[in-house]
Amino acid sequence: MYAAVAAGGFRRYATYRAATAAGVFTNTVFGLILVHTYLALWDERPHLGGYDQAQAVTYVWLGQALYATFAIQGGGVEKDLMARIRTGEIAIDLYRPADLQLWWLATDLGRALFQLLGRGVVPFVVGALFFPMALPRDAGTWAAFVVALLLGLVVSFGIRYLFALTAFWLLDGQGVSQAMMILGVFCSGMTLPLNAFPAGFGEVLRALPWAAQVQVPADVLMGEASWAGAFAFQAAWAAALLGAGRLVQAAATRRVVVQGG
């Protein structure tokens, strides 16, 4: 059943072809801007954050490939979930013979797969064709990168699901969405690799769950992190966030039942 739900999420986003084409163009343009900014910065500070220029370029294009995949700025299934809570349609979801959290997780995985293939691959290929990139040559590293992506997707969903559940109490999710966007863009490393921040501040950022979305997959791809350590970090945050989502969901649905909604 959940595989069918994921397939439905994939098909739904595949229908927005004009939006996908616009997203590919936007990510490619922003990638070009960021690459030249990074190159200028790395000219002044070689090996900033432990990266050379080729690794910095790789980081930029990987971030552009994963931006929509991980819904770092928001706009994934959490947007639909908050809308359904606000309108009361969430009651239909609660009546389904399916787990609410797993239902939305499957939907989000389908969405993410389409965004990766439909919007993420082209900017990454453009970067690889026109800029020197630090890409692995062995299949094992690519396989480890895929695992890091899957774990990162679960972490990303766990964060956004928790934010979305606040709509049970707040009803209006605009403020939550803005907070989620700011935290996602900054703490994931989209603006600058988390390795490049000063030691104390950087260590705090690298310990937060957002690091599992861009920083950790990038380090796995470029051989800057041990696979076991990276997977353990992502899996721990995925389990913690999904568990917290379960607790908040239970509290929220009890509240709905008590109110008769």
Side-chain angles (χ1 to χ4, degrees):
M1 178 179 64
Y2 295 111
V5 173
F10 184 98
R11 288 194 301 271
R12 175 188 172 187
Y13 282 85
T15 59
Y16 301 107
R17 297 176 183 175
T20 300
V24 169
F25 177 77
T26 301
N27 284 122
T28 304
V29 170
F30 271 96
L32 291 170
I33 295 171
L34 282 173
V35 158
H36 286 94
T37 303
Y38 273 40
L39 289 175
L41 179 59
W42 259 258
D43 279 338
E44 295 295 325
R45 297 284 302 276
H47 300 288
L48 178 63
Y51 291 161
D52 57 27
Q53 280 196 345
Q55 289 176 313
V57 169
T58 305
Y59 189 93
V60 168
W61 289 112
L62 182 60
Q64 293 305 305
L66 300 181
Y67 185 74
T69 303
F70 287 144
I72 290 173
Q73 195 174 357
V77 297
E78 76 284 349
K79 182 178 179 180
D80 295 334
L81 178 55
M82 284 191 286
R84 293 180 72 82
I85 294 171
R86 185 175 64 253
T87 61
E89 292 177 291
I90 190 66
I92 299 173
D93 300 336
L94 294 173
Y95 273 114
R96 287 195 183 109
D99 182 84
L100 182 68
Q101 188 183 53
L102 290 178
W103 177 281
W104 286 101
L105 173 59
T107 303
D108 197 56
L109 290 177
R111 176 206 61 80
L113 179 60
F114 173 76
Q115 295 289 15
L116 178 63
L117 298 177
R119 184 169 168 174
V121 170
V122 172
F124 192 79
V125 171
V126 168
L129 289 175
F130 294 99
F131 295 91
M133 292 174 64
L135 299 177
R137 297 180 181 274
D138 60 295
T141 302
W142 283 105
F145 173 65
V146 171
V147 175
L149 283 185
L150 291 173
L151 290 171
L153 284 172
V154 179
V155 172
S156 171
F157 169 79
I159 294 171
R160 291 179 286 113
Y161 190 71
L162 276 173
F163 273 98
L165 289 177
T166 62
F168 275 105
W169 291 273
L170 300 177
L171 298 184
D172 185 0
Q174 290 299 316
V176 173
S177 297
Q178 289 296 319
M180 183 168 52
M181 177 189 70
I182 294 170
L183 287 171
V185 171
F186 183 77
C187 296
S188 67
M190 277 298 303
T191 53
L192 192 68
L194 301 181
N195 296 340
F197 286 96
F201 186 52
E203 288 174 5
V204 171
L205 290 177
R206 288 193 295 273
L208 295 176
W210 288 275
Q213 299 179 70
V214 178
Q215 186 67 60
V216 172
D219 284 340
V220 169
L221 182 67
M222 296 186 292
E224 293 293 323
S226 70
W227 299 352
F231 298 160
F233 174 79
Q234 291 178 299
W237 270 118
L241 290 166
L242 292 179
R246 287 278 178 183
L247 295 175
V248 175
Q249 175 184 304
T253 52
R254 281 198 300 271
R255 179 175 181 271
V256 170
V257 171
V258 169
Q259 289 185 338

